[in-house]
Amino acid sequence: MRLQAVNIAGAGLAGALLAVLLGRRGIAVNVFERRPDPRAHAADAGRSINLALAARGIRALEQAGLMEQVRPTLLPMRGRMIHDPEVSSTPRLLPYGQREAEVIYSVGRAALNRVLIEAAASLPQVRLHFDTSCTEVDVPSGSLRLVDNRTGVERTLSDSVTIAADGAGSAVRGSLARAGRVSVCELPLEHDYKEFHIPPRGGQYALYPEALHVWPRHGFMLIALPNPDRSFTATLFLPQTGDPGFDTLSGAAAVQEFFQRQFATAAALIPDLVAQFRSHPAGHLGTIHADPWACGAVLLLGDAAHAIVPFHGQGMNAAFEDCALLDALVAGAGPHGNWPEIFARFSRTRHGDTEAIAQMALENYAEMRSAVLDARFLRHQAWALQLERLYPTRFIPRYAMVMFHPEISYSEALRRGAVQQQILAQLDAQRAPGGSDHPAPLSAAELARAQQLIAAQL
Ligand SMILES: Cc1cc2nc3c(=O)[nH]c(=O)nc-3n(C[C@H](O)[C@H](O)[C@H](O)COP(=O)(O)OP(=O)(O)OC[C@H]3O[C@@H](n4cnc5c(N)ncnc54)[C@H](O)[C@@H]3O)c2cc1C
C-alpha cells in the first residue's frame, strides 16, 4: 500500500482504533492527542466512565484483530432491568434479544482506550504524540497546525492528510467551519447528565450485574452499568431547568429529597450521594450534523463528524463502524488510491447511516425513560419477539437490528423499523374493542394477518 502518511487528530476511541487499522495495512500514521499518555496517567474524572459495546463495535474490533485483548474487559448485559416508580415493585428484566448471543457489553472507556493505544503503539508504522493539540487545518495549503501543550510551542505540518477524530468539540471541524468549508448544525439536548459511583456491597455487586438498570420516570431517568470492580456507574439524565431540573437541585436537602422520592432504591446504594452530586460535573448532550465530512485531504470521523445523544448506546459503536468502513475503502482503493477520493467516497457512503442513528438515538430516550412503563409498548415488544421467532430474517425488532445485526445498515434499520411499527399498530387496531390493552400473544388469526402484512410490506 503506497498511500501517503496520515495524521490523525485525537487518540480517543476512534482515532486509536483507526491508527491500528491503517498501521496494519502498512500505512504510516501520526496520531496527535491533546491529553497526556493514558499509559502513564489516570483517566479524566467526570467523562462517561463506562459504555455499552454492541455488535457493530465488536465487528470493527475484530477487523483490527483486537477482540482477544478487549474481551477480558467486557461485562455482558442481557437486558434492561426496569425499576418501576412504585418502590415495593420487584425490578423486571426486559431482555434485549431472544438468542443467547444477543447481549451488549459494559466496557470501561479508559480500559478500552488503553487497549487501543497499546495496540497502536506496538505497530512500527504508528507514532503517537501526546500532549499535542491540533488547532487548525488549512485545506488549500494542506497544512495542519499543532501546539505542544507542555511548552506552548506551535508548529505546522505542510502537505498533510488529516483525519479528525478529535471528538464532539472537534477543533479541526471548527477551523473548517470558520473557513466556510463545512456547515455545522449543533442541536443541544435540553437535558444534562451526571454520574454517580455505586460501590460494591459486602464485596459483591449491589445490583444484578448482568443488566443495564433503568429507573424510568417519564421526563427523566437514572441508569446504571456494571464495572469489573463490582461497582456500578449510575447516570442521571435530567432537564437542565424546571422542576425537577438540575437548576432546582441546588441544596443538599433538595438533592436528598429528590433521590428519595424518585430513586429510593438507588439512593440507598450511594452513601455519599450529596457529596457526589456536588463534586461531579454535569455534562451536556446533543447531536452534531456536519456537511461535508470530506474537504480535499481532510476528513471528519466519529463524534467529530456526527456526535449523537447516548440513549441507543451507539456513538462509539458508530465511530468504530466508521473506522472499519474507511479501512475497507482504503483496501478497496488499491495502490493507486488517493486520500481525497477515498474520503469523498466514505462521506457519500456513510452520511445517511449516521443521520439514521442520530434520529434513533433521540427516539430511544423517550423509550427508555417513558415507553418501557407503557402497556402498549410492552405488548408491541412481546409481539415483535413473537414475529421474529416466526420470521427471523424478515421481522427483526429495530433495537435488535441496531445492536445485533451489523450487516443491516442504520438507515435500513430505521426504514424497516418504521414499517414494522406500522404492522404492529395495524394488528393492535384490529383487536376487539376494549381488548387492546390485553397483553396476550398474537392469536392464530392475528398471526395470519401479520403474515399477510409482512409479505406485503417488508
Ligand atoms: C454520557 C455518555 C454515555 C455514552 N454511552 C455510550 C455507549 O453506551 N455506547 C456507545 O457506543 N457510545 C456511547 N457514548 C458515545 C461515545 O462516548 C462517543 O461516541 C465516542 O467516544 C466517540 O469516539 P471519538 O473517538 O469520535 O471521540 P472521543 O472518544 O471523544 O475522542 C476524541 C479524542 O480526541 C482528543 N482531542 C480532542 N480535541 C483534540 C485536539 N484539538 N487535538 C488533539 N486531540 C484532541 C480527546 O482528548 C479524545 O482523546 C456515550 C457518550 C456519553 C457522553
Side-chain angles (χ1 to χ4, degrees), residues 9-15 32-35 47-48 50-52 109 132-134 165-168 171 193 195 285 301-304 310 313-317 319:
L13 297 172
F32 300 101
E33 166 58 50
R34 76 171 172 198
R35 292 172 305 165
R47 296 202 69 206
S48 72
N50 51 22
L51 306 155
R109 181 191 291 275
T132 307
S133 290
C134 304
D166 52 346
Y193 74 96
E195 292 182 321
L285 300 166
L301 174 138
D303 272 15
Q314 279 293 309
M316 163 187 65
N317 286 281

Side-chain angles (χ1 to χ4, degrees), residues 167-199:
S170 172
V172 175
R173 188 187 66 229
S175 79
L176 290 171
R178 281 194 300 281
R181 295 202 160 256
V182 168
S183 69
V184 181
C185 171
E186 296 188 27
L187 299 175
L189 195 73
E190 289 172 351
H191 295 218
D192 284 348
Y193 74 96
K194 195 181 275 265
E195 292 182 321
F196 300 87
H197 178 69
I198 300 181

Side-chain angles (χ1 to χ4, degrees), residues 196-251:
F196 300 87
H197 178 69
I198 300 181
R201 285 193 130 188
Q204 298 304 319
Y205 283 105
L207 296 160
Y208 173 68
E210 294 199 354
L212 190 156
H213 292 259
V214 190
W215 289 259
R217 297 298 181 262
H218 294 292
F220 53 95
M221 68 179 181
L222 183 76
I223 67 167
L225 278 73
N227 296 313
D229 66 358
R230 302 203 168 142
S231 67
F232 273 82
T233 302
T235 310
L236 171 66
F237 296 95
L238 186 72
Q240 288 153 354
T241 59
D243 187 14
F246 276 109
D247 66 333
T248 48
L249 289 181
S250 43

Side-chain angles (χ1 to χ4, degrees), residues 60-89:
L61 291 166
E62 279 167 351
Q63 190 167 317
L66 291 175
M67 264 317 277
E68 281 308 296
Q69 291 99 300
V70 171
R71 205 174 296 283
T73 67
L74 302 182
L75 296 169
M77 299 185 290
R78 304 191 179 282
R80 293 176 185 146
M81 186 70 85
I82 305 296
H83 299 256
D84 288 308
E86 303 76 37
V87 178
S88 56
S89 64

Side-chain angles (χ1 to χ4, degrees), residues 298-349:
V298 182
L299 178 71
L300 305 174
L301 174 138
D303 272 15
H306 49 72
I308 59 177
V309 294
F311 305 110
H312 219 307
Q314 279 293 309
M316 163 187 65
N317 286 281
F320 282 178
E321 209 176 43
D322 282 1
C323 298
L325 171 64
L326 185 63
D327 179 50
L329 292 175
V330 167
H336 302 297
N338 72 70
W339 288 112
E341 274 175 22
I342 293 169
F343 290 171
R345 195 166 312 138
F346 173 85
S347 191
R348 276 198 307 277
T349 312

Side-chain angles (χ1 to χ4, degrees), residues 105 116 123 126 142 152 181 201-202 371-372 380 385 388:
Y105 297 92
L116 299 177
L123 295 171
V126 178
R181 295 202 160 256
R201 285 193 130 188
V372 291
H380 285 194
L385 294 176
E388 187 190 25

